[in-house]
Amino acid sequence: MTHCPDTAPAPIAPPDLPLQEAVDLLDGATSVTILCHVQPDADTVGSGLALGTVFARRGTPVQVAFASPSELPASMATLPGVDLLVPADRVAHEVDLLVAVDCGSAGRLGTLASRLDGARRSLVIDHHRSNTRFGTFNLIDDAAVSTTAVLTEVFDRWGVPIDADLAHCLYAGLVTDTGSFRWGGPGSHALAERLLATGIDAAAITRRLLDSHPFGWLPMLASVLASAELFPAARDGRGLVHAVIRCTDSAGLGAEEIESVIDIVRTTAEAEVAAVFKETAPQSWSVSLRSKDDVDVAAVAERLGGGGHRFAAGYTTSGSSADVVAALREALG
Ligand code: 5GP
Ligand code: MN
């Protein structure tokens, strides 16, 4: 089967799959590759490891992987099932079923998008509204707060009991994608209660995922936040605030330190929209967008070749920092 680049819509989007058919597909798989998105977060890795653990327990050959970076971020190193992770270049070229978790488009698989071609069938499990339905089968619930919440429904329908190890992985995606339950939708607290009842240590899990940074994080924040700019007139006076993290700012720091910056910038009361430009290589940028009430940043990101959710989206781009900031201001209106 073919796959599409990040920017192009799927030529003919296959319809979304009912839960039972997704379960039948998983149940019948004879070998499985589970792919997480590039620059993985706890929702994609938590989903990948939970599903991988279920297959491993059934005795089904399974690999879990993401294309880049080469190392799992330190904050996720204690998630159960990390031994199922294989380096990107060791991912089998042929497999019965490929499952992509938390990926809105094939481009989010990075170089591992190539593995779609050698999979007999593929299943996309996701909650991004902008999902391009790039799998042969797609289980997309854009009302779900996290991909791990979608996966919980899959496990329930499949008859998979959720023990502490699975709950740990599922909670990791739930707590991070809800901003520690600041913006969870209906059901997120009920799901948390159910996962916590397995005995997992939620405080320790959350501290490791969200509240642990090396000392070098502090001077990086000082320098990046000092250069933040506010454009009160952007988007009909709703306001835009942005900050730029250059490679020189983040040298020696991990993904957690870089990804934390948007959560500080987005608290700016004078701006409805927040952006953080993260330099990944000279003149190459990964951009995080956030909004609060009435700006759909997924639509803005899609205009710039990316995607995401209404209040949290992103895209990749290239150019000088002045150029990429100007392009965002133009797209935002
Ligand atoms: P973050 O700012 O945390 O990296 O991403 C926020 C949201 O935007 C996530 O849901 C993520 O999937 C989406 N996103 C971030 N970068 C990209 C990108 O380059 N392409 C697409 N399609 N979505 C992105
Ligand atoms: Mn997610």
Side-chain angles (χ1 to χ4, degrees):
M1 58 163 293
T2 56
H3 61 268
C4 329
D6 208 16
T7 47
I12 304 166
D16 289 347
L17 208 58
L19 195 56
Q20 185 60 48
E21 287 175 37
V23 167
D24 292 344
L25 200 58
L26 293 164
D27 198 60
T30 55
S31 63
V32 182
T33 297
I34 302 171
L35 297 182
C36 307
H37 63 70
V38 290
Q39 314 306 328
D41 61 18
D43 193 27
T44 196
V45 174
S47 298
L49 296 181
L51 186 56
T53 297
V54 171
F55 280 116
R57 287 175 178 172
R58 289 164 61 89
T60 307
V62 60
Q63 295 183 312
V64 186
F66 51 87
S68 67
S70 52
E71 296 289 325
L72 183 68
S75 61
M76 298 177 219
T78 50
L79 288 176
V82 282
D83 51 315
L84 298 171
L85 283 167
V86 299
D89 59 3
R90 296 227 338 256
V91 175
H93 286 267
E94 297 199 346
V95 72
D96 180 42
L97 178 67
L98 182 151
V99 186
V101 285
D102 200 42
C103 299
S105 60
R108 298 282 287 157
L109 296 172
T111 54
L112 287 174
S114 64
R115 298 305 197 275
L116 288 165
D117 297 327
R120 196 164 79 81
R121 298 167 296 185
S122 59
L123 170 64
V124 173
I125 302 179
D126 188 31
H127 70 129
H128 290 92
R129 195 197 56 187
S130 62
N131 193 290
T132 60
R133 276 78 178 162
F134 61 94
T136 339
F137 303 98
N138 301 279
L139 181 69
I140 316 297
D141 180 359
D142 62 11
V145 290
S146 64
T147 297
T148 60
V150 183
L151 207 52
T152 305
E153 291 191 29
V154 170
F155 289 168
D156 286 346
R157 181 64 73 99
W158 201 359
V160 171
I162 296 179
D163 63 4
D165 278 353
L166 294 182
H168 184 153
C169 291
L170 298 172
Y171 189 79
L174 179 67
V175 72
T176 53
D177 266 29
T178 59
S180 307
F181 301 99
R182 276 170 293 176
W183 53 81
S188 47
H189 289 87
L191 176 54
E193 155 118 26
R194 184 177 160 200
L195 298 175
L196 295 184
T198 65
I200 56 171
D201 185 344
I205 293 170
T206 307
R207 190 182 321 114
R208 173 98 194 194
L209 288 171
L210 293 166
D211 293 330
S212 299
H213 298 285
F215 180 74
W217 181 59
L218 300 180
M220 183 274 274
L221 283 181
S223 128
V224 166
L225 297 179
S227 66
E229 283 188 277
L230 177 67
F231 300 101
R235 192 67 173 240
D236 299 328
R238 288 177 181 78
L240 165 70
V241 60
H242 77 73
V244 176
I245 310 174
R246 296 175 193 283
C247 291
T248 46
D249 296 309
S250 58
L253 296 175
E256 296 86 349
E257 286 66 60
I258 297 165
E259 299 309 320
S260 70
V261 174
I262 187 66
D263 288 325
I264 300 169
V265 174
R266 60 180 282 276
T267 61
T268 305
E270 295 89 338
E272 157 73 15
V273 179
V276 170
F277 295 85
K278 301 168 282 187
E279 193 178 30
T280 50
Q283 307 254 311
S284 290
W285 305 89
S286 166
V287 186
S288 289
L289 298 179
R290 300 289 186 272
S291 64
K292 294 171 184 163
D293 290 318
D294 63 356
V295 174
D296 181 351
V297 284
V300 176
E302 280 171 49
R303 245 173 265 149
L304 293 160
H309 309 281
R310 184 176 167 80
F311 300 121
Y315 60 99
T316 55
T317 187
S318 57
S320 69
S321 60
D323 287 347
V324 295
V325 170
L328 172 61
R329 292 187 63 188
E330 163 104 31
L332 192 58

